């Protein structure tokens, strides 16, 4: 059986619900029927376009080498929006940021790995890419995500003045093409301390209930992870 790994910060926010039982059902469903591809090639495309100056046609050609047609078309639907957003930007510097962890509770440490930061004319930019085609993080879940990111990352003195932008590549309905909506995190309401505690407790309860459902004592030994929360990396499970 596939393993239930600790979801990333953005997946915590997206899959959060008030009811821990609903969270548990969502997590179990994602383990039993996980998505079959990752958007990681698009992060490489951003670096190629923004930093290395690779011609756009060459970046497209690289994406066209993806074997599965549905995955290839999905990536190619986002790529022009990335190109247009970063057109004309020549960063003074570009760097990746090491993975950080947010303590949710009950020993649950949720990872957050920003794709990059870059600087232009003295302004530091921290873009976060939301590649979900449908049901992107929104409303209170978006507030939760921004609140947690601010705590885990933007309290770093080197990053506190960064302009945190959410690049949402979703589409308004299944038959429409994707479009880019840039959300300035400064415009997103923060979640208060008490409400944040409630939301994180609900998620922790849902996560551990999912573990109980997936890995019961009657499960065959080979189906049970030795330590389901010791390795919080999750490259593809919730993409």
């Amino acid at each position: 059986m596939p393993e239930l790994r600790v979801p990333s910060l953005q997946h915590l926010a997206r899959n959060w619900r008030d009811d821990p039982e609903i969270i548990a059902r969502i997590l179990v469903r994602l383990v039993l029927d996980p998505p079959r591809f990752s958007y990681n090639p698009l992060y490489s495309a951003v670096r190629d376009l923004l930093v290395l100056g690779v011609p756009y046609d060459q970046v497209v050609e690289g994406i066209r080498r993806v074997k599965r047609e549905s995955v290839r078309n999905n990536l190619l639907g986002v790529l022009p929006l990335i190109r247009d957003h970063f057109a004309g930007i020549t960063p003074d510097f570009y760097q990746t940021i090491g993975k950080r962890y947010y303590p949710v509770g009950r020993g649950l440490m949720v990872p957050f790995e920003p794709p990059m930061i870059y600087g232009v004319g003295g302004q530091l930019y921290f873009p976060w890419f939301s590649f979900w085609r449908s049901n992107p993080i929104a409303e209170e879940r978006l507030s939760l995500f921004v609140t947690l990111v601010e705590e885990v990352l933007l309290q770093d003195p080197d990053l506190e003045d960064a302009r945190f932008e959410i690049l949402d590549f979703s589409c308004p309905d299944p038959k429409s093409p994707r479009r880019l909506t840039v959300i300035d995190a400064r415009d997103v309401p923060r979640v208060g301390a008490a409400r944040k505690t409630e939301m994180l407790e609900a998620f922790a309860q849902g996560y551990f209930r999912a573990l109980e459902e997936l890995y019961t004592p009657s499960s065959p030994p080979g189906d049970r992870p030795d330590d389901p929360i010791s390795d919080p990396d999750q490259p593809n499970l919730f993409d």
Side-chain angles (χ1 to χ4, degrees), residues 38 41-42 44-45 47-48 54-76 79:
S38 168
L42 293 177
S44 298
R47 182 200 60 205
D48 290 346
V54 176
Y56 179 71
D57 289 346
Q58 291 185 25
V59 177
V60 171
E61 186 58 32
I63 297 295
R64 290 192 184 281
R65 294 173 188 160
V66 174
K67 293 183 179 180
R68 288 175 54 197
E69 182 180 6
S70 60
V71 176
R72 183 171 65 248
N73 290 339
N74 198 6
L75 299 177
L76 290 174
L79 196 58

Side-chain angles (χ1 to χ4, degrees), residues 149-169:
V149 169
E150 187 172 69
E151 291 186 22
V152 77
L153 181 68
L154 298 183
Q155 287 185 0
D156 185 326
D158 295 331
L159 301 173
E160 61 183 358
D161 294 326
R163 183 172 296 175
F164 176 20
E165 296 179 332
I166 298 166
L167 309 184
D168 179 358
F169 294 91

Side-chain angles (χ1 to χ4, degrees), residues 4 28 206-216 224-225 228-229:
L4 172 60
V28 168
Y207 176 81
F208 287 109
R209 288 181 191 182
L211 284 180
E212 291 174 1
E213 181 172 341
L214 288 165
Y215 311 112
T216 62
R224 293 175 55 82
I229 66 172

Side-chain angles (χ1 to χ4, degrees), residues 21-160:
E21 291 292 344
I22 297 176
I23 295 172
R25 290 201 296 269
I26 291 171
L27 297 180
V28 168
R29 185 172 67 245
L30 287 168
V31 170
L32 299 179
D33 186 21
R36 303 296 179 181
F37 71 96
S38 168
Y39 286 105
N40 285 339
L42 293 177
Y43 293 118
S44 298
V46 171
R47 182 200 60 205
D48 290 346
L49 292 169
L50 189 60
V51 182
L52 302 179
V54 176
Y56 179 71
D57 289 346
Q58 291 185 25
V59 177
V60 171
E61 186 58 32
I63 297 295
R64 290 192 184 281
R65 294 173 188 160
V66 174
K67 293 183 179 180
R68 288 175 54 197
E69 182 180 6
S70 60
V71 176
R72 183 171 65 248
N73 290 339
N74 198 6
L75 299 177
L76 290 174
V78 178
L79 196 58
L81 300 174
I82 291 176
R83 174 199 60 195
D84 294 346
H85 178 71
F86 290 106
I89 296 177
T90 303
D92 301 321
F93 74 92
Y94 169 105
Q95 79 180 59
T96 57
I97 303 177
K99 185 182 297 181
R100 315 289 178 93
Y101 294 90
Y102 191 93
V104 172
R106 304 188 182 191
L108 186 61
M109 299 292 291
V110 173
F112 180 60
E113 191 168 11
M116 65 178 187
I117 58 172
Y118 66 94
V120 178
Q123 175 63 58
L124 185 63
Y125 290 87
F126 162 44
W128 181 74
F129 299 80
S130 175
F131 290 127
W132 289 299
R133 184 179 182 88
S134 60
N135 300 319
I137 300 175
E139 300 179 345
E140 192 175 25
R141 287 189 282 272
L142 179 61
S143 291
L144 176 65
F145 175 66
V146 170
T147 300
L148 299 184
V149 169
E150 187 172 69
E151 291 186 22
V152 77
L153 181 68
L154 298 183
Q155 287 185 0
D156 185 326
D158 295 331
L159 301 173
E160 61 183 358

